[in-house]
Amino acid sequence: MQPVKTVKKEPVKVREMASSLRSKTFEEVVFGYNESEALAEAARCLQCKNPVCTEGCPVGIDIKSFISCITNKDYKSAYFKIREKNDFPSICGRVCPAEYQCRKTCVFTKKNEPFASQNAINVHFLERFIGDYGMNNGCFIPVKRDPWLSKFKVAVVGSGPAGVCFAGELARAGVKVVVFESLHKTGGVLRYGIPPFRLPRNILDFEIDYLKTLGVELVPNMIIGKSKTIRGLKEEGYAGIFLGLGAGCPSFLGIPGENLCNVYSANEFLTRVNLMSAYKFPEFHTPVNIGKHMIVIGGGNTAMDAARSALRLQKMAGIPADTTVFYRRTEIEMPARRLEIEHAKEEGVKFKFLVQPVAFSGDDKGLVKKLKCLECKLGEPDSSGRRRPVSIEESEFESDCDIAIIATGLKANQVLISATQELKTDKYGDVIVNKETMETSIDGVYAGGDIVGGEGTVIEAMGMAKRASKAMVERLKKEE
Ligand code: FAD
Ligand code: SF4
């Protein structure tokens, strides 16, 4: 029997930067809980006999126990409790879509609510508080190096959350690890996709620097599938290989005018802003084009990140802010985190719902100038369970658009896959694995993260990497 769902106290609101200041900076905008706020929020947890919050966590964190440690002010134990399942509490506490996960299954959320109730325990903010405590107080997981494993070296392809988590697990077990990354900087989407106003780079740098202290070698600017192959890595003596390639290839709309200048994929736009530091121009010599009428197409986290970045760039350049998100369903169906949608609105991003882009048109210089759309209504649910948008005949309208950013999905990059015939993939181009061990069709080659099952979340990527690391360590032990 679950306890009666009586809300003893109001949820503790998280401190944030004022929206007027927020929209002009790439500094972190959510400040998180301080100690007294964390204690007050933890005290709201009912310590349920059947803690259903854990069922909602993709990696099964013992949420009830870590919250109980917080109420006892035993923050170190809370940190180690989370670390049993999650290697990056400071990161996940900032980016996890908790309203669809642990907070949605928390007893304070009613069964038919589309996402977590306002009253659900703010597990993510508590996790962030503890993650930051651990980071600032030197709470490191003990390294248990198995001397037998030190003769093995393994290769990790990709340095996103999946690759970094896998590398850390193997290095702690005593294996020599080399991480190959095609970009010039490590971190994957955490570096090039998610803007610093959501995930400050010192948090990510901490995790990467920690890997170095474990002896992990990081090799940037190395495309596996081009400069080296999987077969080549095996010949170089790598006893195992982990593929954390992500889903870095953007999907486009396939409509006329999409190849006009200033029509970006969200990946390119965000990479220019985040990885190439376009927001620090002219300090960094890599600007991105900014327009008077910027349109972002899509409804996920990528769309919110692109829109909030675009609006910031307009404001920083002194251009009257006009950034609009075009989405073909309604707000409730948007897959983005609710906090990001709220923040986008508060900062001044406009939204046009139930619209289907049909064509871009440009001027005689080949620059995009207009976006033509049809209005939509919602039809029957599709395979995702969300109601399908149906375009309405003769509802065409045009909007001014001098920068368009397409954020309608990502798929697997095929560079390594097409160079590796023996690697089996599904119809979407994602790598097929044994779901328990994460081993691919190639003996000794494992995979995890977005390259398995498509665009997911940071915690899911990390969970898969942890499963793969366990299986690889067992395999190496057997070989020994
Ligand atoms: P990635 O993070 O994509 O990393 C893969 C790495 O592999 C990249 O660095 C890539 O350069 C490298 N690589 C690829 N091919 C090769 C090769 N052949 N050789 C060498 N290196 C290679 N998730 C959340 O949980 N919360 C959020 O708020 C959130 N927001 C997001 C915002 C954006 C803009 C995007 C794009 C995604 C977001 N996600 C979010 C999803 C989340 O970031 C991903 O699920 C996660 O990063 C996947 O991790 P990964 O390690 O599998 O791949
Ligand atoms: Fe119960 Fe919610 Fe606390 Fe989990 S977080 S133990 S579901 S009150």
Side-chain angles (χ1 to χ4, degrees):
M1 272 275 286
Q2 287 289 341
V4 185
K5 294 182 224 174
T6 40
V7 188
K8 285 192 277 185
K9 291 185 190 116
E10 286 293 303
V12 179
K13 260 186 86 85
V14 74
R15 279 167 300 111
E16 296 171 345
M17 194 186 284
S19 55
S20 54
L21 301 175
R22 238 194 268 154
S23 56
K24 292 181 202 136
T25 177
F26 278 76
E27 297 286 306
E28 185 169 32
V29 297
V30 176
F31 299 144
Y33 284 157
N34 60 25
E35 185 178 7
S36 59
E37 290 160 344
L39 286 169
E41 184 62 12
R44 294 177 61 241
C45 172
L46 301 176
Q47 291 293 303
C48 304
K49 201 166 168 201
N50 174 20
V52 276
C53 46
T54 290
E55 287 169 22
C57 173
V59 296
I61 295 174
D62 185 349
I63 293 168
K64 168 181 165 176
S65 297
F66 99 73
I67 294 181
S68 161
C69 295
I70 297 180
T71 44
N72 294 330
K73 294 194 179 180
D74 184 357
Y75 307 131
K76 224 173 202 173
S77 300
Y79 179 80
F80 289 119
K81 187 47 78 186
I82 299 176
R83 283 294 308 259
E84 283 172 9
K85 297 288 168 74
N86 181 354
D87 282 10
F88 309 126
S90 283
I91 294 176
C92 292
R94 284 171 168 81
V95 305
C96 257
E99 67 272 39
Y100 301 105
Q101 299 175 341
C102 53
R103 296 189 67 234
K104 180 147 194 274
T105 53
C106 169
V107 285
F108 287 128
T109 301
K110 293 192 188 80
K111 279 234 151 39
N112 52 0
E113 289 186 82
F115 19 78
S117 149
Q118 291 285 331
N119 286 325
I121 303 299
N122 282 311
V123 179
H124 54 319
F125 294 138
L126 293 174
E127 183 183 27
R128 168 182 165 155
F129 170 74
I130 290 300
D132 289 0
Y133 174 90
M135 199 171 63
N136 297 327
N137 291 279
C139 298
F140 292 108
I141 297 293
V143 177
K144 284 193 199 137
R145 290 208 166 99
D146 184 333
W148 297 107
L149 291 177
S150 64
K151 68 173 192 184
F152 294 109
K153 63 171 180 173
V154 301
V156 175
V157 187
S159 66
V164 169
C165 172
F166 183 90
E169 294 287 326
L170 267 279
R172 271 194 295 272
V175 181
K176 165 95 185 109
V177 186
V178 182
V179 179
F180 297 102
E181 168 56 53
S182 56
L183 295 171
H184 66 289
K185 283 192 179 168
T186 46
V189 170
L190 304 181
R191 175 98 51 199
Y192 77 74
I194 299 180
F197 55 79
R198 282 217 287 138
L199 180 65
R201 296 307 183 245
N202 64 322
I203 307 276
L204 178 56
D205 291 341
F206 176 86
E207 299 296 349
I208 305 280
D209 289 345
Y210 174 60
L211 276 192
K212 291 185 203 156
T213 66
L214 291 175
V216 173
E217 189 186 341
L218 302 171
V219 183
N221 300 312
M222 179 67 76
I223 305 178
I224 305 300
K226 286 264 185 222
S227 311
K228 286 175 186 274
T229 60
I230 296 294
R231 189 184 293 251
L233 289 174
K234 285 193 159 192
E235 283 164 7
E236 283 180 38
Y238 288 96
I241 299 169
F242 176 77
L243 305 179
L245 308 173
C249 190
S251 300
F252 285 93
L253 297 163
I255 60 174
E258 217 170 2
N259 55 357
L260 285 163
C261 291
N262 290 337
V263 178
Y264 289 94
S265 72
N267 249 26
E268 180 187 347
F269 182 78
L270 287 169
T271 302
R272 282 170 183 264
V273 175
N274 295 323
L275 189 71
M276 312 301 289
S277 302
Y279 69 95
K280 291 185 190 158
F281 180 79
E283 185 193 335
F284 282 73
H285 304 284
T286 41
V288 68
N289 286 345
I290 310 164
K292 285 188 180 157
H293 309 288
M294 301 188 57
I295 290 181
V296 178
I297 299 161
N301 286 321
T302 310
M304 292 307 102
D305 285 341
R308 294 175 69 198
S309 300
L311 185 101
R312 278 165 168 73
L313 293 174
Q314 285 181 320
K315 289 198 176 178
M316 286 159 86
I319 300 172
D322 178 20
T323 297
T324 311
V325 171
F326 279 42
Y327 182 55
R328 56 195 191 131
R329 293 182 165 98
T330 68
E331 182 174 337
I332 203 144
E333 287 90 19
M334 285 177 81
R337 293 175 78 218
R338 296 291 117 183
L339 186 70
E340 312 315 330
I341 301 171
E342 286 315 311
H343 278 176
K345 284 194 212 159
E346 287 166 9
E347 289 162 11
V349 172
K350 292 178 262 181
F351 286 81
K352 242 184 177 35
F353 295 111
L354 291 167
V355 286
Q356 172 77 54
V358 288
F360 292 104
S361 55
D363 62 11
D364 51 7
K365 295 191 190 95
L367 301 170
V368 68
K369 287 292 158 203
K370 300 267 181 199
L371 172 62
K372 197 184 281 177
C373 293
L374 283 172
E375 285 174 10
C376 295
K377 59 184 179 189
L378 289 181
E380 292 303 310
D382 62 14
S383 57
S384 71
R386 292 175 305 165
R387 292 180 64 191
R388 191 191 301 273
V390 182
S391 47
I392 302 169
E393 272 180 46
E394 293 178 23
S395 62
E396 214 167 80
F397 68 95
E398 258 189 347
S399 300
D400 290 334
C401 167
D402 49 13
I403 302 279
I405 304 168
I406 298 169
T408 49
L410 295 163
K411 49 190 188 229
N413 181 317
Q414 295 296 309
V415 172
L416 182 143
I417 291 167
S418 53
T420 318
Q421 299 291 310
E422 320 87 279
L423 192 61
K424 289 213 173 104
T425 54
D426 63 16
K427 62 178 175 178
Y428 305 105
D430 297 337
V431 172
I432 298 173
V433 293
N434 168 332
K435 289 278 160 59
E436 270 170 37
T437 62
M438 306 308 289
E439 192 167 18
T440 68
S441 53
I442 307 178
D443 189 42
V445 178
Y446 296 68
D450 284 5
I451 192 63
V452 175
E455 232 186 312
T457 60
V458 172
I459 191 128
E460 285 165 349
M462 198 211 59
M464 288 188 238
K466 256 177 139 40
R467 282 211 295 286
S469 64
K470 206 164 158 245
M472 190 170 310
V473 167
E474 276 165 20
R475 177 198 176 92
L476 296 178
K477 280 186 177 162
K478 272 190 206 146
E479 272 187 33
E480 173 52 38

